Amino acid sequence: MVKVRTIKDIAELAGVSTGTVSRALAGSELISKKTREKIQALADEHGFRPNIMARNLRIQRTGAIGVLIPLGHETGQHISDPFFITMLGLLADALTEKGYDLVLSRVIPTDGNWLDRFVDSGRVDGLIVIGQSDQVATLDRVAARYRPLVVWGGYTEGQVHCSVGSDNRKGGYIAAKHLLERGCSRLAFFGDPKALEIGQRLEGCRDAMADAGLSDRLTVLPAHLVAEAAHPDIARFLGSVSERPQGIVAASDVIAMSALRALSEFGLAVPGDVHVIGYDGLAICEQTVPRLSTVSQDLTQGAHHMVDMLLRRIAGEDTQSVVMEPQLIVRMSS
């Protein structure tokens, strides 16, 4: 049997150029299916595996996409958070289908250069950031010089970085409007508006209350996103207010689930005494007692948007931010 050690050896056996072999083994559709199958069969027959690291070095690609989770305003949050786990799974599936590896990093920003260090490391071909936290200025500054960067989060007029996310202000509005239609006139918003997305959701709630002539009937509790911290926040709030809210708009489903627990511990029925609605549309909302109403973001579509736009940016194309429509999902908690 002929010894096959290099792409050149495969090319001689197949009667094609080394470039054709390289592209065929990489699955390029520039090469016909018949030729790709012929070359792959020869490689399999001779046990040949291309040197991916050498190929990536030659074409100045790593074959990896970085996924960063910056925790500026909520340093206690973990990757095991239900929202992060859901989004990471969707991104991993989408990136794998495109032939990329995923390099994951959870970052607690300690200075303004945390993102620069990552994009300048040469470890990845592009970067997806899950959540803006309180780092919008840093994201804008780096995005101005580093094009293959896409962020999950809210959009504001004039922002530099390319983002994908729901219309948070509209989502907050429809959540509050839903509770108002249920007969609630005193609402509480649970969430820290330091984060752009949460701040936009609060603005939407305020819009709905203003439209109903109830601007002075909204209370804001800057509850943590982490369940272990959100629960005591909410418990203290419920134990201290002279007049409890009739409805709660939670900035996330995790916060809403913490609210359900705290309300139960106070002997308050949901939705009999207090109506509750979350935000995100996580699958776990179907498992709470009662089943949680929520404003759903299409996370599957969002992940596909982020991967598609990032790959287009890697190829040199410019892309605009995507703002998706939120959807009200009414279950038993409201």
Side-chain angles (χ1 to χ4, degrees), residues 150-222:
V150 178
V151 180
W152 172 267
Y155 174 77
T156 55
E157 194 68 35
Q159 83 178 26
V160 179
H161 66 274
C162 178
S163 64
V164 176
S166 67
D167 186 333
N168 293 290
R169 189 164 188 159
K170 184 174 182 179
Y173 185 94
I174 63 177
K177 186 172 184 289
H178 170 64
L179 297 187
L180 291 169
E181 290 172 346
R182 286 291 197 262
C184 303
S185 59
R186 292 190 308 277
L187 298 187
F189 179 88
F190 289 176
D192 190 344
K194 289 178 185 175
L196 177 61
E197 289 177 284
I198 294 178
Q200 291 174 336
R201 292 167 196 175
L202 174 57
E203 289 173 4
C205 286
R206 285 178 169 150
D207 291 342
M209 295 297 281
D211 287 350
L214 298 169
S215 295
D216 60 342
R217 307 299 294 277
L218 177 66
T219 305
V220 179
L221 171 69

Side-chain angles (χ1 to χ4, degrees), residues 52 55-57 59-66 95 98-103 122-126:
I52 300 299
R55 173 183 175 274
N56 288 342
L57 183 62
I59 64 175
Q60 295 186 315
R61 288 282 188 268
T62 67
I65 298 297
L95 288 169
K98 298 295 184 180
Y100 281 90
D101 293 327
L102 184 154
V103 178
R123 296 169 56 194
V124 296
D125 297 331

Side-chain angles (χ1 to χ4, degrees), residues 221-233:
L221 171 69
H224 288 277
L225 287 166
V226 183
E228 293 79 4
H231 173 261
D233 287 344

Side-chain angles (χ1 to χ4, degrees), residues 78-119:
H78 296 283
I79 292 174
S80 56
D81 178 277
F83 176 83
F84 290 151
I85 286 293
T86 300
M87 183 58 80
L88 285 171
L90 293 168
L91 287 172
D93 289 342
L95 288 169
T96 300
E97 289 171 4
K98 298 295 184 180
Y100 281 90
D101 293 327
L102 184 154
V103 178
L104 175 63
S105 184
R106 171 180 176 267
V107 180
I108 297 177
T110 55
D111 57 45
N113 296 318
W114 62 271
L115 188 54
D116 299 85
R117 286 191 289 271
F118 200 94
V119 302

Side-chain angles (χ1 to χ4, degrees), residues 31-76:
I31 308 301
S32 70
K33 181 179 179 183
K34 181 179 179 180
T35 302
R36 292 201 310 269
E37 290 176 347
K38 176 184 176 181
I39 291 171
Q40 188 61 61
L42 283 170
D44 292 342
E45 178 185 347
H46 293 277
F48 176 76
R49 296 291 180 271
N51 187 327
I52 300 299
M53 290 185 67
R55 173 183 175 274
N56 288 342
L57 183 62
R58 185 173 66 256
I59 64 175
Q60 295 186 315
R61 288 282 188 268
T62 67
I65 298 297
V67 177
L68 288 186
I69 301 175
L71 303 176
H73 76 293
E74 191 70 82
T75 58

